[in-house]
Amino acid sequence: MTASRLLRLSLAALLCTASAAPVAFAQASPQSAAKRSAQDPDLQAAIAKSNAYTALANRTLRANESWGRYKSWVDLKRGPTGKERYISYGLYSLYDVKSEIEKAQAATAQPPAQPELDEIVKRFIAAYEELAPLITRAYRYYDRKDYTGDGAAEGRELHVKMVPAAEAFLRERAVFDTQLNAFKKGIDTRELAAIEAAEGRSARWQLRNIMFNARGVMDAMPSNDSPIVDLKAFDAALASYAAAIKEMDAFKDKNQSGVPMIESSAGSWLGSLRDFREKLAKSKGDVRRSAANDANRLVSSYNMMVSMSDSAARMIR
């Protein structure tokens, strides 16, 4: 889901929504969602709203990445001088999110009503639309090396505007992610039950169960604001994810086709999580002292799994 990018090998590169390695959300497959929820219009409506919001959240991660790129070389308090060693890194260009914004805005007025989530989506869109043009201008400025001709004057002008806009965007992003995650958990639980009732613990169920529990692990991971992991919560999430992998293995033993695309990555991720847990034990849960790089890699691997799960969902019939 996330593009290749320069990542600081520090706490700033953790999965916090304000970091350079933000976390993607998994979407329900439109085809399978319609198929499963034909007898439950309320669930179908919730999935449609969730997918609209998820698409917006994932597509706008590029703004987090671009801001993280900028922060990797500039002094945020002083602003650019034109003499920074890595000034040529500049920022990343943003994706076109017009369609995602339109669909998310429409979803705020559609059932099921989610007052807090619907309101934060509106605020998040406003914050993004304030920041995005500034990032686009800054991307062009640094990509074309215009700072070599004006002593970084325009860069400093942009910096003064970008910092408060980025801070506002990241604040709204954090609330949006929290609200969306809570909404999706409820839907995922209902969706798993609906699949099992209709198909048993099928390949579709296995896929959703793996990603549901993988997201639970991500929720227990450290962040910039909380760099010390709650080991008890992490262990519980890890145990649930391990159980989902065992379920997948048992399904594979009885069904040769297994769960397409994601089996190997999901299993390897479990091994990496256990290595990460061992390092956390040595530092009493403080990721800054032992495992910041590992956390960064786990986030990147998770985001790849999200992308693969989307493709796998389309393959399962």
Side-chain angles (χ1 to χ4, degrees), residues 77-94:
K77 291 184 178 180
R78 182 174 61 178
T81 65
K83 298 179 181 179
E84 288 80 8
R85 183 177 181 181
Y86 298 109
I87 191 172
S88 61
Y89 287 161
L91 296 87
Y92 292 123
S93 60
L94 299 182

Side-chain angles (χ1 to χ4, degrees), residues 218 221 269 272-273 276 294-302:
M218 298 312 297
M221 288 283 280
W269 200 61
S272 298
L273 286 169
F276 178 64
D294 298 72
N296 211 26
R297 286 191 290 269
L298 286 168
V299 173
S300 295
S301 296
Y302 169 79

Side-chain angles (χ1 to χ4, degrees), residues 4-251:
S4 298
R5 57 197 181 276
L6 175 74
L7 294 178
R8 284 184 172 182
L9 300 182
S10 67
L11 187 60
L14 294 180
L15 70 140
C16 167
T17 51
S19 76
V23 181
F25 288 93
Q27 282 184 263
S29 164
Q31 180 184 15
S32 61
K35 189 175 180 181
R36 289 192 303 275
S37 56
Q39 297 176 336
D40 188 347
D42 291 338
L43 177 57
Q44 184 174 356
I47 290 172
K49 173 169 279 199
S50 173
N51 279 351
Y53 290 170
T54 297
L56 175 67
N58 288 346
R59 191 72 170 169
T60 54
L61 284 176
R62 185 68 167 180
N64 294 67
E65 295 170 351
S66 186
W67 186 247
R69 175 89 166 183
Y70 183 66
K71 285 169 56 180
S72 73
W73 62 265
V74 76
D75 183 327
L76 287 184
K77 291 184 178 180
R78 182 174 61 178
T81 65
K83 298 179 181 179
E84 288 80 8
R85 183 177 181 181
Y86 298 109
I87 191 172
S88 61
Y89 287 161
L91 296 87
Y92 292 123
S93 60
L94 299 182
Y95 300 141
D96 181 359
V97 296
K98 182 179 179 182
S99 175
E100 286 78 9
I101 287 176
E102 288 176 350
K103 290 175 182 177
Q105 285 177 325
T108 63
Q110 294 166 353
Q114 298 289 313
E116 291 186 11
L117 176 57
D118 295 339
E119 183 58 33
I120 186 56
V121 168
K122 295 174 186 176
R123 298 205 316 263
F124 175 75
I125 290 172
Y128 179 84
E129 291 181 332
E130 182 72 23
L131 176 63
L134 296 172
I135 285 182
T136 297
R137 280 183 57 195
Y139 161 73
R140 293 170 181 164
Y141 177 78
Y142 290 104
D143 184 58
R144 297 167 184 172
K145 294 181 171 53
D146 288 343
Y147 54 85
T148 60
D150 70 352
E154 185 177 350
R156 287 189 290 276
E157 177 188 336
L158 283 168
H159 182 84
V160 170
K161 298 175 181 177
M162 280 198 300
V163 170
E167 289 175 346
F169 168 77
L170 293 173
R171 283 195 302 270
E172 300 295 3
R173 167 116 231 168
V175 179
F176 178 29
D177 283 355
T178 298
Q179 293 285 339
L180 178 57
N181 194 35
F183 183 50
K184 285 180 64 62
K185 279 185 178 179
I187 292 173
D188 287 342
T189 299
R190 293 169 63 192
E191 198 177 6
L192 275 171
I195 299 171
E196 187 169 8
E199 306 173 4
R201 296 196 170 188
S202 61
R204 201 186 322 277
W205 185 92
Q206 300 293 337
L207 178 63
R208 297 299 292 171
N209 188 48
I210 288 167
M211 295 312 300
F212 176 68
N213 284 285
R215 183 71 204 191
V217 174
M218 298 312 297
D219 291 342
M221 288 283 280
S223 69
N224 287 345
D225 294 331
S226 301
I228 300 176
V229 178
D230 181 336
L231 294 179
K232 186 175 291 186
F234 187 85
D235 287 344
L238 181 56
S240 294
Y241 180 71
I245 296 299
K246 282 188 176 181
E247 281 272 3
M248 180 186 70
D249 290 343
F251 178 80

Side-chain angles (χ1 to χ4, degrees), residues 240-295:
S240 294
Y241 180 71
I245 296 299
K246 282 188 176 181
E247 281 272 3
M248 180 186 70
D249 290 343
F251 178 80
K252 173 72 172 178
D253 290 341
K254 297 177 181 178
N255 301 270
Q256 189 174 2
S257 58
V259 183
M261 295 190 68
I262 203 169
E263 287 177 352
S264 178
S265 296
S268 296
W269 200 61
L270 176 58
S272 298
L273 286 169
R274 285 171 169 157
D275 290 340
F276 178 64
R277 176 60 178 85
E278 286 186 14
K279 292 183 179 181
L280 289 177
K282 296 175 183 178
S283 64
K284 296 183 179 180
D286 192 337
V287 73
R288 296 167 297 187
R289 293 169 51 194
S290 61
N293 293 352
D294 298 72

